[in-house]
Amino acid sequence: MARNLGLLICFLILAMDVSAGILGIEAEIAQNKVKHLKMWIFECRDPSYTAFKYGLAACILLALAHLTANLLGGCLCVVSRQDLAKSSANKQLAVASLIFSWIILAIAFSLLIVGTMANSRSRKSCGISHHRVLSLGGILCFIHGLFAISYYISATASTREQTSAGHA
């Protein structure tokens, strides 16, 4: 039963990250459909409410996927580099996946927020163009899904190793 639940959680994390990625790319497509005037690196354009909604939904799904993976994956405590070197391969993979997932989350979330806020209704102005920000954030959502699932699987495996070693 626990393995089936773990598989379900992995599919849930993957579905949220893939949905966030698709919404980010769709937000970029919706943003490109509005009229705009471009001169060199400056751009004047109307905001797209559809792009705003898709971008906001992508941000929420990315945050929920990260929260799900981290809360259900558990907490791994590594105090020092020596402690990490002595730990099992599952724990080392979990720590590396956790670090990469946080880095990718920070970059993807920032890109999605910048693209979403550029499409806010109050942002009808001219400025430096923000092309491909939403689609890059969407693509990073796919990569985040891989690291979040890797963290969840290796963290639960490491926890099982620790509990079975404690009972032996």
Side-chain angles (χ1 to χ4, degrees):
M1 180 67 184
R3 291 179 192 248
N4 292 338
L5 183 63
L7 186 65
L8 179 68
I9 291 170
C10 287
F11 280 134
L12 178 68
I13 294 167
L14 185 64
M16 284 191 284
D17 273 320
V18 167
S19 298
I22 290 171
L23 284 170
I25 293 169
E26 287 293 323
E28 182 76 32
I29 292 169
Q31 176 181 326
N32 290 336
K33 289 182 180 177
V34 298
K35 62 180 182 172
H36 64 279
L37 172 69
K38 185 174 180 179
M39 293 182 79
W40 200 41
I41 62 169
F42 298 105
E43 179 180 48
C44 295
R45 65 174 183 81
D46 293 330
S48 170
Y49 185 63
T50 305
F52 177 78
K53 290 189 298 186
Y54 287 164
L56 185 62
C59 290
I60 291 170
L61 283 173
L62 178 64
L64 284 175
H66 191 76
L67 186 69
T68 302
N70 283 292
L71 286 180
L72 298 179
C75 180
L76 295 175
C77 295
V78 177
V79 179
S80 65
R81 191 172 275 186
Q82 292 82 13
D83 185 27
L84 182 62
K86 292 180 203 173
S87 61
S88 68
N90 281 328
K91 191 169 190 176
Q92 291 175 358
L93 179 63
V95 169
S97 297
L98 180 66
I99 291 169
F100 284 127
S101 72
W102 272 100
I103 291 169
I104 292 171
L105 172 78
I107 296 169
F109 197 75
S110 299
L111 289 171
L112 289 171
I113 288 291
V114 166
T116 300
M117 292 311 295
N119 286 298
S120 175
R121 285 189 176 175
S122 63
R123 292 281 180 152
K124 185 175 182 177
S125 64
C126 299
I128 297 175
S129 63
H130 295 285
H131 284 291
R132 297 181 199 88
V133 173
L134 288 165
S135 60
L136 286 174
I139 292 168
L140 285 176
C141 288
F142 297 130
I143 298 170
H144 177 267
L146 297 175
F147 283 108
I149 290 173
S150 173
Y151 170 71
Y152 174 76
I153 292 171
S154 56
T156 53
S158 175
T159 303
R160 282 190 191 131
E161 285 177 351
Q162 289 176 349
T163 55
S164 66
H167 287 33

